[in-house]
Amino acid sequence: MKDLRTTFLDHVKKGLNGKALPLRVFFWDGHEYAFDEPTLVTMHLKSAKVITQLLTGSALDVLGEGYVEGNIGIEGRYQDILAVAEGLSDAFPAKKPKTGILHKALHSKAKDKEAIHYHYDVSNDFYKLWLDRNMVYSCGYFKTGKEDIDVAQEQKLDHICRKLHLQPGEKLLDIGCGWGGLLTWAAKHYGIQGVGVTLSEEQFAFAKERIEKEGLADRLEIRLQDYRDIPERDYFDKVSSVGMFEHVGRAKLPEYFEVINRVLKEGGWVMNHGITASQQDDEGGHHSGSDFMDKYVFPDGEIPHLWRLVRDMAGQNLEVIDVENLRPHYAQTLIHWVDRLEAHKDEAIAMIGDKRYRIWAIYMAGCAYAFWRNWSALHQVLAIKQTGEELTPRPWERRYQYDNDQYRLAEPDWGDL
């Protein structure tokens, strides 16, 4: 009978089917093996249990958990580590769950608040280490791909404001307002009045202090509030939701868009910006890496496909007029984030501990790789509330969104990562 080390090597070689794998493995018993030279990644398997888990589970989940828990040591550049992890995932394909046992989050108000607290209330100082100067925790917007994160996020904020065609004096609701970056940008540059809601106590405190320091407290209001508890009706001219609807849950999307319909004036505009599944059969969330994300990163997060988003918006009289896929933009944003986090590694570990640091580093690097490999997507969907038969005002074309229409090819720039 083969020992686990030999079983692992045979399994990987067979699964690779002749493809190169620049990996050197050091086993718990002192043996080592290089699949191909030169090796770009070194992996230390500290326990035979890891191989048993690989043979019975999802490779990306097992590798991620093993790294976080200290059962696997990994050396190399992130882009090489992730490419090797993908190769191992091909050799150890995820086992599909039995029909009917997929996890479905309840998404009660209490459960959603608990999930938001876990991810966002780490500490504002931790996020300051690697976010941009406006504290924007969502996909940036690149025009050349060479911008730094500060410029990319300000371009994103402005792109959203342009896309919503914000006008002075309009009332803007920002659902999941984060640290208040979009609201303050829109107030200062487009003259709006606004309300932001968040479930994060850390974000709420930061955003309130921010608008007071910037002299915007007479025009902006921040609420610690569930989106379902927003009381206004037919009140807001525009609604933005950026990086929030991933926490809503697929079953709750009709209710989510019903709330947006209720708070919007007739003819009001809404822009929903969020992560979407790249394939329809990925909607269940049970694919390679999803268990790791559920356990360590985004408890109860659910990623719908674009078709569901558009269908449920239409079901609430929100007529879709523009769809934009920002997938490469999020890949580049995450590369910036993990690079900045690595640059502040010692400070971050002092704040959140070594284990949680590893979670954040591998999560962001892995997500950058996932967006670039089309395992995930990011869509901005613009819609207008249209309940009557008359055509609601809208531009003939989308040129109003841009300063110019120069085209540049989107390419990843990993730098030294």
Side-chain angles (χ1 to χ4, degrees), residues 334-352:
L334 284 152
I335 290 169
H336 278 290
W337 285 345
V338 75
D339 185 32
R340 290 161 67 89
L341 180 63
E342 285 280 281
H344 294 92
K345 181 176 180 178
D346 292 341
E347 295 168 78
I349 290 175
M351 288 181 186
I352 65 173

Side-chain angles (χ1 to χ4, degrees), residues 7 31 129 153 205 207 228 255 288 396 406:
T7 299
H31 287 84
L129 290 178
Q153 291 294 10
R228 288 160 284 199
E255 180 181 1
S288 285
W396 280 108
Q406 185 175 355

